[in-house]
Amino acid sequence: MDDELNALRRARMRWNTPLSEPHADLLLDRMGLAEGHLADLGCGWGELLLRAVERTPGLRGTGVDNDVTSLERGRAAVERRGLASRVELTEADAATWDGPAERAFCVGAAHAFGSTKAALDRLARVVPSGRLLYGDGFWAVPPSDAAAEILGPGLLTLPDLLDAVDDAGWRVLHLSTADQLEWDDFESTSRAGWEEWLAGHSADPRAGEVREWLDQRLREYVRDYRGVLGFTYLVLGR
Ligand SMILES: C[S@@+](CC[C@H](N)C(=O)[O-])C[C@H]1O[C@@H](n2cnc3c(N)ncnc32)[C@H](O)[C@@H]1O
């Protein structure tokens, strides 16, 4: 897809994870944010990072992602919200970004490190002492073959994910999971940008491909992974 459609696809998403605003506020509360440095590895357009900095005097933020479209959206928000002196969004590989930072986010980006275990180990080096908000998918129930194929290898059950947390030397300070409304809203908003475009561009040469993607995403969600794929938010300390 071209740049215009790429930018539109996630335009209706607040952030790229199943998370309500009250749940996000709770997680930021549990992070015990204070002045210092917060790194967001795999930040997307950095909305959670920006909110953390906005509500915490003296906190500086660095967001790291390798998706230029997302970073451009984030940088525009940084400028618009007057945060340029406190937030930098950097195009880089999250897996090799060196801390240290007192606080970090890594939400939905474990794949950048290769696996959950590799992410938790590396993040322990980024945050030698402090707190990490770690968001990751898990199998809420055993997946069908179709769900396993769509979501790939590497997803753990929640107990196995907590064992990986323990092995990497983290303590669990908070655990919550995305509820069904957060999932349904995430999936719906992830489709909404293109649905709105399609409604006004049915004769566009790109319309067939867009419609096919939208239909497949909805079908796979409802048939294969709704209620099967979970997502957990852990505030971890060390
Ligand atoms: C599911 S999104 C989550 C984004 C963001 N944390 C949020 O909650 O909105 C995963 C992000 O990881 C980024 N990503 C994937 N591999 C990466 C890598 N090797 N280095 C940096 N970012 C990466 C993607 O570009 C994407 O923005």
Side-chain angles (χ1 to χ4, degrees):
M1 286 295 169
D2 54 36
D3 289 351
E4 181 205 356
L5 280 175
N6 263 340
L8 263 183
R9 180 156 101 67
R10 299 195 174 91
R12 293 293 174 202
M13 303 179 86
R14 191 185 302 114
W15 29 59
N16 193 357
T17 188
L19 182 66
S20 66
E21 304 226 29
H23 195 170
D25 284 340
L26 172 70
L27 297 175
L28 293 181
D29 287 347
R30 297 292 158 86
M31 280 295 283
L33 298 169
E35 65 178 18
H37 190 197
L38 167 65
D40 186 351
L41 301 183
C43 65
W45 51 92
E47 179 59 30
L48 196 60
L49 175 70
L50 268 55
R51 291 190 188 201
V53 169
E54 279 172 329
R55 69 188 239 157
T56 314
L59 182 65
R60 287 179 302 111
T62 301
V64 178
D65 206 286
N66 61 4
D67 181 69
V68 175
T69 305
S70 294
L71 288 168
E72 279 173 2
R73 173 175 170 180
R75 286 176 187 141
V78 167
E79 287 299 324
R80 202 170 51 245
R81 286 151 70 170
L83 294 171
S85 62
R86 296 170 61 203
V87 177
E88 186 182 13
L89 300 184
T90 306
E91 183 184 350
D93 180 7
T96 55
W97 189 84
D98 268 328
E102 291 87 24
R103 298 282 185 271
F105 296 162
C106 179
V107 175
H111 56 288
F113 299 83
S115 68
T116 294
K117 179 179 168 19
L120 289 163
D121 285 345
R122 175 78 195 183
L123 289 159
R125 286 165 55 188
V126 171
V127 184
S129 171
R131 288 188 192 181
L132 166 69
L133 171 61
Y134 183 74
D136 205 351
F138 67 91
W139 293 125
V141 298
S144 64
D145 289 347
E149 194 176 324
I150 294 165
L151 294 155
L155 277 179
L156 304 176
T157 63
L158 193 50
D160 286 348
L161 201 163
L162 292 180
D163 283 347
V165 164
D166 198 38
D167 289 348
W170 294 100
R171 297 289 307 163
V172 178
L173 307 179
H174 167 89
L175 179 158
S176 48
T177 60
D179 66 19
Q180 198 60 69
L181 178 58
E182 288 174 300
W183 266 113
D184 289 344
D185 189 52
F186 170 68
E187 287 290 331
S188 298
T189 54
S190 77
R191 296 172 59 260
W194 276 4
E195 280 292 354
E196 287 168 18
W197 177 86
L198 190 60
H201 296 80
S202 56
D204 190 285
R206 298 165 293 178
E209 199 181 337
V210 167
R211 187 180 298 107
E212 200 175 308
W213 185 91
L214 289 166
D215 290 351
Q216 182 174 345
R217 172 97 183 217
L218 182 58
R219 223 174 14 246
E220 288 180 346
Y221 177 52
V222 171
R223 282 191 192 158
D224 299 321
Y225 63 89
R226 185 175 187 270
V228 174
L229 176 62
F231 199 91
T232 189
Y233 297 96
L234 305 172
V235 174
L236 305 176
R238 53 189 299 107

